[in-house]
Amino acid sequence: WSFAVQETVTTPVAMALFDWTTLEVNVLFMCCGLLSLASAFFVRRGASVVSDLSMLTTGNALLCCGCVAMLDTWRTWLSAWRFCVGFAFQRVAMPIGRLVTLSMFSKVIGPDHQGPYFGVLLAIGTIPRIVGPFWALWALHLASPRDPGRPHLYLEFSTLLLLGVLALGLSLALSHHLAPMPTDRFVAPATGA
């Protein structure tokens, strides 16, 4: 959801609020893309040292921090530096969440029937990628209560924050129910003599 919303609204928001050019927005995407690659590298290297739950919790916490940084409040407008910091936090969080979630799912279902189960998981995952941009553009075109000429970012990023907090809470609350498939279930096929 967050990734789809960011892809949709970052360019118009940065251009409307900060008078950025498309080149400046593209530089932001490029820099944050490098942060995403570094984050994915961290997940790869950290998988043997840090638990999946710790990484997932870290990713969700970073996502929430990014949303908080990007909130327009009744006292302060979103500044360019807060926008960049929030965007960077969210970009670092996304690969952590995605890679760790897929890894945990794979461990829980075990080696049998991974294809169909991953198909269902990824099919369900497309729903936010479809709904997110429509919702983001609708919310972006609402006028701010403080300034009718300004996009209403509070609804945009507070909803992302709510979803991030829900994901964080669910991952912590349900983590003790998730256990990897026992290794004794992995039976090697019989070989003919």
Side-chain angles (χ1 to χ4, degrees):
W1 179 273
S2 180
F3 185 72
V5 169
Q6 273 193 340
E7 285 179 329
T8 305
V9 301
T10 298
T11 302
V13 165
M15 292 174 86
L17 297 183
F18 313 123
D19 293 323
W20 286 6
T21 64
T22 51
L23 176 63
E24 291 168 317
V25 175
N26 288 337
V27 168
L28 175 69
F29 272 113
M30 182 189 69
C31 292
C32 288
L34 294 173
L35 286 174
S36 290
L37 287 172
S39 177
F41 181 75
F42 162 75
V43 170
R44 173 82 169 119
R45 292 290 184 198
S48 60
V49 180
V50 181
S51 73
D52 286 343
L53 179 61
S54 296
M55 279 198 280
L56 187 62
T57 303
T58 300
N60 284 330
L62 288 170
L63 176 70
C64 291
C65 288
C67 291
V68 168
M70 296 176 89
L71 281 178
D72 256 344
T73 65
W74 287 104
R75 294 183 184 181
T76 61
W77 291 116
L78 177 63
S79 63
W81 73 268
R82 275 188 29 226
F83 180 76
C84 290
V85 167
F87 189 80
F89 268 90
Q90 290 181 3
R91 284 299 192 182
V92 167
M94 286 178 206
I96 295 172
R98 179 150 178 92
L99 294 172
V100 173
T101 300
L102 292 175
S103 171
M104 290 175 76
F105 188 74
S106 173
K107 290 174 186 174
V108 168
I109 63 172
D112 301 330
H113 310 293
Q114 280 199 3
Y117 286 121
F118 267 98
V120 170
L121 174 73
L122 296 175
I124 291 170
T126 61
I127 295 169
R129 299 265 312 153
I130 294 167
V131 174
F134 288 107
W135 176 87
L137 290 174
W138 170 80
L140 187 63
H141 284 97
L142 294 176
S144 170
R146 281 179 47 198
D147 182 359
R150 188 176 167 87
H152 190 40
L153 297 178
Y154 186 78
L155 180 62
E156 199 83 46
F157 297 116
S158 61
T159 304
L160 291 178
L161 176 62
L162 175 66
L163 292 172
V165 168
L166 284 173
L168 182 61
L170 282 172
S171 64
L172 291 174
L174 300 177
S175 63
H176 64 280
H177 292 293
L178 298 176
M181 183 72 69
T183 55
D184 61 352
R185 282 223 34 228
F186 306 146
V187 179
T191 57

